[in-house]
Amino acid sequence: MADPTTAPARPRLRGIGVVLVAVYGILALAATGRSVVQITTKFEEAPLAYVLSALAAVVYILATVSLVARGDVWRNIAWITISFELVGVLVVGALSLLDPALFPHDTVWSVFGRGYVFIPLVLPILGLWWLAAHRRQSA
């Protein structure tokens, strides 16, 4: 029987954190599915674009896991992964506008995630904000 005088442990993810993890999970599945199909069926048409889609999938999977997992190591992995994601979407987004020939087929991050309703552009900003706002909440 639990001791009623002790407060229950607060869950690490609440509110917007749950939504953030859910969106990362959905993007992880979408990017993984897209990149597997692209690489296995038409890799020679746009190898750079398809490898970048696969890289985005790995980033979304790692971000999802690192946001859910506890501990300072996972928190650091989340910071690194989500920062990398933001840089990736900004660089690939800009390059896809400045030199469309580099990306004859879209990646997840092309035109700042236009194919995904710009969620890839907004998500890392929200992720970094959430990490900063919950810096030492649950050790």
Side-chain angles (χ1 to χ4, degrees):
M1 187 168 167
D3 181 3
T5 60
T6 59
R10 293 187 340 174
R12 179 170 180 221
L13 293 174
R14 297 186 328 261
I16 191 72
V18 173
V19 174
L20 194 63
V21 169
V23 174
Y24 266 109
I26 291 167
L27 269 179
L29 290 172
T32 300
R34 176 182 189 157
S35 65
V36 166
V37 168
Q38 291 172 326
I39 289 171
T40 59
T41 62
K42 50 189 175 180
F43 182 75
E44 65 283 346
E45 293 178 20
L48 177 61
Y50 299 155
V51 167
L52 285 172
S53 285
L55 176 63
V58 171
V59 167
Y60 290 130
I61 291 167
L62 193 53
T64 304
V65 171
S66 65
L67 286 170
V68 172
R70 293 180 180 263
D72 289 339
V73 171
W74 283 109
R75 176 170 284 286
N76 290 337
I77 292 171
W79 275 104
I80 292 165
T81 304
I82 295 171
S83 297
F84 179 85
E85 173 195 359
L86 180 59
V87 170
V89 77
L90 291 174
V91 169
V92 172
L95 286 174
S96 63
L97 286 174
L98 296 172
D99 190 0
L102 282 175
F103 305 100
H105 296 179
D106 280 349
T107 73
V108 175
W109 294 337
S110 292
V111 192
F112 307 104
R114 175 181 61 193
Y116 290 85
V117 197
F118 300 100
I119 292 171
L121 177 61
V122 175
L123 193 60
I125 295 166
L126 291 176
L128 292 172
W129 166 81
W130 188 86
L131 285 169
H134 296 86
R135 222 175 258 277
R136 289 284 165 208
Q137 181 179 2
S138 48

